[in-house]
């Protein structure tokens, strides 16, 4: 959702089919230039005017990703998107969203200057749960880079999200 000019678009080539959803009609031409022509058959572009994308089939997606888009949305807009995502994601599918957490100074400053909409981790958690998802992880990579990973209930997704930790040497070894 909100791929812009495709910064992350090639990160998802492992999936057979990629759907790109944006409000900007000319994003697709910029993104298409990033791929070899034979791969374009595995990429579909959809234009949305708000959140809805009725042309994407129900339960057709096992992973939804969005970075640098949801911080701009109001909580009501996010809630509408989460409901629409619930329709297209298959049971057990995951969602990874970047969002504004104004409990941190960076995000709060972006909100105060009118660039991002005000949101918090607790408000985002509430929205995610109200829309029927289970929260898997909510953390921050760095200031301004807050993310939420959550899942639609069910077991139809062949992909399993698992946190891998690097084994640490014990101090007594």
């Amino acid at each position: 959702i909100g791929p812009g000019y495709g910064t992350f678009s090639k990160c998802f080539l492992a999936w057979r089919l990629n759907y790109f959803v944006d409000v900007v009609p000319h994003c697709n031409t910029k993104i298409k230039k990033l791929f070899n022509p034979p791969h374009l058959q595995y990429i579909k572009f959809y234009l949305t005017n708000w959140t809805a994308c009725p042309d994407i089939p129900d339960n057709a997606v096992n992973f939804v990703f969005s970075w640098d888009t949801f911080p701009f949305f109001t909580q009501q807009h996010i809630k509408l998107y989460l409901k629409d995502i619930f329709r297209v994601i298959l049971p057990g599918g995951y969602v990874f969203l970047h969002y504004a957490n104004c409990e941190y100074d960076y995000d709060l400053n972006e909100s105060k200057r009118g660039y991002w909409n005000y949101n918090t981790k607790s408000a985002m958690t509430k929205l995610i749960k109200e829309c029927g998802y289970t929260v898997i992880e909510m953390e921050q990579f760095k200031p301004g880079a807050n993310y939420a990973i959550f899942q639609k209930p069910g077991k139809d997704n062949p992909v399993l999200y698992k946190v891998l930790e690097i084994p640490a040497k014990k101090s007594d070894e």
Side-chain angles (χ1 to χ4, degrees):
I1 299 171
Y5 294 146
T7 302
F8 297 101
S9 62
K10 292 180 91 173
C11 296
F12 305 104
L13 294 177
W15 277 270
R16 173 104 170 110
L17 182 61
N18 283 234
Y19 296 103
F20 292 90
V21 177
D22 209 311
V23 295
V24 182
H26 65 276
C27 285
N28 63 353
T29 56
K30 299 272 188 184
I31 294 171
K32 283 180 181 178
K33 291 178 184 176
L34 300 174
F35 293 92
N36 293 325
H39 195 82
L40 294 177
Q41 66 182 323
Y42 304 113
I43 299 172
K44 301 216 181 277
F45 294 92
Y46 294 97
L47 195 60
T48 183
N49 61 354
W50 188 244
T51 64
C53 201
D55 295 331
I56 298 177
D58 293 358
N59 300 316
V61 178
N62 62 352
F63 181 67
V64 173
F65 175 84
S66 184
W67 194 265
D68 206 22
T69 300
F70 280 73
F72 299 97
F73 296 159
T74 63
Q75 289 173 343
Q76 182 59 31
H77 195 171
I78 292 170
K79 188 173 187 175
L80 290 171
Y81 245 121
L82 294 179
K83 287 180 178 182
D84 287 334
I85 291 168
F86 199 89
R87 179 189 66 78
V88 301
I89 201 161
L90 56 87
Y94 296 96
V95 183
F96 183 115
L97 299 180
H98 169 222
Y99 72 99
N101 182 357
C102 295
E103 295 164 347
Y104 293 106
D105 289 342
Y106 181 93
D107 300 47
L108 183 59
N109 289 335
E110 295 300 302
S111 175
K112 283 182 178 178
R113 73 181 188 102
Y115 188 61
W116 284 355
N117 270 292
Y118 184 87
N119 200 358
T120 62
K121 181 178 181 178
S122 58
M124 190 68 179
T125 302
K126 183 179 176 200
L127 287 173
I128 292 167
K129 289 180 178 180
E130 281 177 358
C131 291
Y133 299 96
T134 302
V135 175
I136 304 295
E137 185 177 329
M138 293 182 80
E139 294 296 334
Q140 182 187 72
F141 292 122
K142 63 179 187 174
N146 307 287
Y147 66 91
I149 300 171
F150 47 100
Q151 184 179 30
K152 180 178 176 178
K155 301 206 183 286
D156 293 348
N157 189 5
V159 178
L160 176 65
Y161 174 78
K162 186 175 173 183
V163 176
L164 297 175
E165 294 184 27
I166 298 171
K169 246 184 170 182
K170 294 183 179 177
S171 60
D172 60 341
E173 289 182 11

